[in-house]
């Protein structure tokens, strides 16, 4: 017990902040958390959760199309964007309430307002009534996340980010998505599935940099076959807004001289740590590239009692990673078990259509790090599609270190890839070999069985 008001003050009640608060309180610490926006952070409100709901909504287009192959005759399907968004909003509000209940149940005090550090142990919080409150804390955790970042080009004020995409009043007939990362690729699939005409513009030769190249190339083919206009090696120079009505309010001027008209332009060109106006300068907290808080393997900043986790540290910006960092931190601070964060062999998925998922090294990374690498692959038409006119093909890949037989990476493009790779992630993380994979009996007929029957 310290003389401070709290043992731990957390700024930001997103995935990382809430988990750290609850776990620290569980270890007996007196904990408070401040949140100025929404409980659950980006993931719950304008990220993973609503995104997945929208992906599920757009997948119905395929289900309806494929149904006739199985003898079903369905009426003409109609889609109501307003109803989807209203239902999604209701679900998010329910989750906000669950987060509030979790904090309450753990005995964590919640301040709903903006928090700023006056010094390493003093936090000032703006209240909803305009008043300000000062509290002290022994340890401070910054878990404020990140915010969409857009390049400064003429007309960028016409662009929306993913934050606004979740609350559009109507589904645009024509959308341009700029950026070839997770968000750009996922939203391109969502809008296309729901019936918009989509153009995705990416500045490099092939989107999803960092994922296995063959998987990325196949995904590009599949997206094109779904009618998405993918433009690689292309940049937007300016956006022209023509005041008026109709769906083509915006005109994009591209660096190849072409123009594209659309009703919405969604910029998904990365996110930046949300460090402004936190009072970090009052404490001398060191910031790195793009303003990220620089931390060590225990998530400690250069100021001994100030810690940071999640996107604000720009290490591996994924919700489950922030939650892992939170649990390590709570153990380090309040369980007497200094626990370093483990960022190795993290499984991840892009909820594109079809989705892709991966754990471990890509073929390119494996070849760069290991002398001899064996690559096993299978490309096949999933059974479900054989009675339909959908020509989509799955791709599975295992990357194996030849000398020890260890599986260095598993990659998949195709329906259920995130579900399948999540299971395989356990084996890959444990250091399974190709022989271990082969020793597992197949579940037939599945797509997942390809991973244990690769020759
Ligand atoms: P990403 O960093 O994944 O991708 C940003 C994209 O924008 C890249 O293709 C990048 O190109 C491009 N880009 C960056 N700057 C510019 C610029 N000035 N002009 C044109 N293009 C530019 O960011 P996202 O916004 O897609 O996602 C943010 C984070 O959210 C991700 O890091 C991810 O960790 C997380 N996320 C995770 C999801 C999941 O787990 N399924 C889903 C959604 C988000 P280049 O490759 O050349 O740098």
């Amino acid at each position: 017990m310290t003389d401070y008001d709290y043992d731990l003050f957390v700024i930001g009640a997103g995935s990382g902040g809430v988990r750290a608060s609850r776990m620290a309180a569980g270890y007996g610490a007196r904990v408070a958390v401040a949140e100025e926006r929404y409980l659950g952070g980006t993931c719950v409100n304008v990220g993973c959760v609503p995104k997945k709901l929208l992906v599920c909504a757009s997948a119905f287009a395929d289900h309806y199309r494929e149904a006739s192959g199985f003898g079903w005759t369905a009426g003409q399907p109609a889609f109501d964007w307003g109803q989807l968004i209203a239902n999604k909003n209701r679900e998010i509000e329910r989750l906000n309430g669950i987060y509030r209940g979790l904090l309450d149940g753990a005995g964590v005090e919640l301040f709903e307002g903006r928090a700023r550090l006056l010094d390493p142990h003093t936090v000032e919080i703006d209240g909803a009534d305009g008043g300000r409150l000062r509290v002290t804390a022994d340890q401070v955790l910054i878990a404020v996340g990140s915010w969409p970042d857009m390049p400064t080009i003429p007309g960028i004020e016409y662009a929306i980010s993913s934050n606004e995409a979740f609350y559009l009043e109507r589904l645009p007939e024509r959308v341009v998505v700029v950026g070839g990362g997770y968000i750009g690729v996922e939203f391109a699939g969502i809008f296309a599935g729901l019936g918009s005409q989509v153009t995705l513009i990416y500045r490099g030769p092939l989107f999803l940099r960092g994922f296995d190249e063959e998987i990325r190339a196949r995904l590009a083919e599949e997206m094109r076959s779904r009618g998405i206009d993918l433009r690689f090696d292309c940049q937007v120079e300016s956006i022209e807004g023509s005041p008026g009505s109709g769906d083509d309010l915006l005109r994009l001027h591209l660096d190849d001289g072409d123009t594209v008209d659309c009703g919405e332009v969604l910029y998904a060109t990365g996110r930046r740590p949300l460090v402004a106006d936190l009072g970090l300068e009052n404490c001398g907290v060191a910031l790195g590239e793009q303003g990220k808080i620089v931390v060590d393997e225990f998530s400690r900043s250069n100021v001994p009692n100030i810690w940071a986790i999640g996107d604000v540290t720009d290490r591996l910006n994924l919700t489950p990673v922030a939650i892992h960092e939170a649990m390590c931190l709570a153990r380090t601070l309040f369980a007497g078990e200094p626990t370093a964060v483990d960022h190795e062999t993290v499984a991840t998925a892009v909820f594109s259509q079809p989705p892709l998922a991966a754990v471990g090294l890509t073929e390119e990374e494996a070849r760069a790090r290991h002398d001899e690498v064996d690559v096993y692959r299978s490309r096949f038409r999933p059974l479900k599609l054989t009675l339909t006119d959908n020509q989509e093909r799955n791709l599975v890949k295992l990357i194996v270190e030849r000398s020890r037989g260890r599986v260095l990476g598993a990659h998949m493009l195709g329906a259920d890839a995130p579900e399948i790779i999540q299971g395989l992630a356990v084996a890959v993380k444990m250091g399974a070999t190709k022989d271990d994979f082969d020793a597992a009996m197949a579940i037939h007929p599945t797509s997942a069985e390809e991973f244990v029957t690769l020759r």
Side-chain angles (χ1 to χ4, degrees):
M1 191 72 86
T2 60
D3 291 337
Y4 297 105
D5 297 329
Y6 299 99
D7 299 318
L8 175 67
F9 194 97
V10 181
I11 306 182
S15 304
V18 167
R19 182 59 64 94
S21 304
R22 291 171 55 209
M23 266 194 83
Y27 288 128
R30 295 166 306 147
V31 185
V33 59
E35 173 56 58
E36 66 168 340
R37 210 165 283 116
Y38 26 51
L39 293 179
T42 300
C43 173
V44 166
N45 294 276
V46 285
C48 327
V49 175
K51 177 274 308 289
K52 185 79 186 280
L53 292 173
L54 265 51
V55 168
C56 292
S58 71
F60 277 91
D62 281 347
H63 303 330
Y64 284 125
R65 235 187 335 263
E66 290 157 8
S68 64
F70 293 89
W72 287 91
T73 307
Q76 185 60 31
F79 170 68
D80 183 341
W81 170 264
Q83 188 182 333
L84 169 65
I85 296 302
N87 292 349
K88 180 268 291 178
N89 291 347
R90 200 172 321 113
E91 173 59 9
I92 301 307
E93 277 166 31
R94 189 183 73 83
L95 294 175
N96 295 145
I98 285 178
Y99 269 73
R100 188 180 295 278
L102 287 173
L103 290 171
D104 210 35
V108 175
E109 194 165 344
L110 171 65
F111 292 98
E112 293 188 78
R114 173 141 194 106
R116 248 174 244 100
L117 285 163
L118 300 181
D119 64 53
H121 292 284
T122 312
V123 187
E124 186 176 72
I125 308 135
D126 295 340
D129 56 1
R132 286 185 171 174
L133 184 73
R134 274 185 196 186
V135 299
T136 59
D138 184 22
Q139 307 291 326
V140 172
L141 171 62
I142 315 282
V144 293
S146 60
W147 200 252
D149 188 38
M150 297 184 193
T152 47
I153 58 162
I156 193 69
E157 64 277 11
Y158 295 113
I160 59 167
S161 73
S162 48
N163 288 350
E164 294 77 45
F166 286 112
Y167 292 94
L168 285 176
E169 285 181 5
R170 62 191 190 95
L171 180 69
E173 275 171 37
R174 292 211 245 183
V175 192
V176 174
V177 176
V178 183
Y182 285 85
I183 297 179
V185 170
E186 291 179 341
F187 265 103
I190 289 169
F191 283 127
L194 295 178
S196 302
Q197 198 178 317
V198 179
T199 301
L200 184 146
I201 294 173
Y202 173 53
R203 63 182 176 182
L206 183 60
F207 59 16
L208 292 174
R209 188 164 57 82
F211 284 89
D212 187 90
E213 195 170 328
E214 190 179 0
I215 297 266
R216 295 151 70 198
R218 295 292 178 213
L219 174 63
E221 281 174 14
E222 298 291 355
M223 289 176 71
R224 284 192 166 119
S225 75
R226 286 162 176 261
I228 298 175
D229 174 20
L230 298 181
R231 303 210 185 181
F232 296 154
D233 285 320
C234 183
Q235 292 254 49
V236 181
E237 287 190 331
S238 63
I239 306 171
E240 187 187 335
S242 50
S245 58
D247 197 63
D248 289 335
L249 282 172
L250 304 171
R251 173 161 293 178
L252 275 63
H253 295 270
L254 310 181
D255 62 353
D256 58 9
D258 202 0
T259 58
V260 184
D261 292 346
C262 61
E264 294 288 353
V265 53
L266 165 60
Y267 262 73
T269 45
R271 298 172 61 92
R272 259 177 202 258
L274 245 181
V275 284
D277 194 27
L278 282 177
L280 297 179
E281 63 290 351
N282 300 331
C283 313
V285 174
L287 303 182
E289 216 180 306
Q290 309 260 25
K292 70 176 179 188
I293 298 181
V294 180
V295 290
D296 66 13
E297 72 267 38
F298 298 101
S299 302
R300 182 181 233 146
S301 79
N302 63 316
V303 180
N305 77 312
I306 299 183
W307 310 72
I309 57 170
D311 283 14
V312 76
T313 61
D314 197 18
R315 288 177 281 180
L316 200 46
N317 300 332
L318 299 168
T319 293
V321 174
I323 291 172
H324 167 73
E325 291 167 357
M327 295 193 291
C328 293
L329 179 90
R331 261 185 228 129
T332 299
L333 277 177
F334 300 109
E337 297 168 25
T339 308
V341 169
D342 177 6
H343 285 134
E344 284 297 312
T345 320
V346 172
T348 183
V350 181
F351 291 92
S352 45
Q353 299 185 23
L356 70 81
V359 60
L361 302 185
T362 64
E363 181 178 343
E364 299 73 47
E365 287 166 340
R367 291 196 190 285
R369 289 187 209 175
H370 296 270
D371 288 341
E372 290 183 306
V373 169
D374 289 324
V375 176
Y376 297 85
R377 64 167 66 70
S378 170
R379 196 154 176 254
F380 57 98
R381 195 152 177 236
L383 179 71
K384 184 189 164 199
L385 301 187
T386 54
L387 298 192
T388 75
D389 61 3
N390 187 340
Q391 298 301 318
E392 191 176 299
R393 286 177 173 268
N394 287 6
L395 173 62
V396 304
K397 264 180 102 167
L398 273 189
I399 317 296
V400 178
E401 181 187 14
R402 188 175 299 164
S403 58
R404 293 195 288 161
R406 202 162 54 107
V407 175
L408 301 171
H411 306 266
M412 178 171 175
L413 173 70
D416 302 323
E419 308 288 343
I420 292 168
I421 291 290
Q422 178 66 88
L424 294 187
V426 179
V428 176
K429 182 80 181 167
M430 289 175 74
T433 62
K434 175 71 168 58
D435 286 346
D436 293 325
F437 271 64
D438 294 347
M441 204 62 77
I443 298 176
H444 185 70
T446 61
S447 291
E449 70 179 309
E450 295 291 325
F451 276 110
V452 296
T453 55
L454 286 168
R455 293 284 169 265

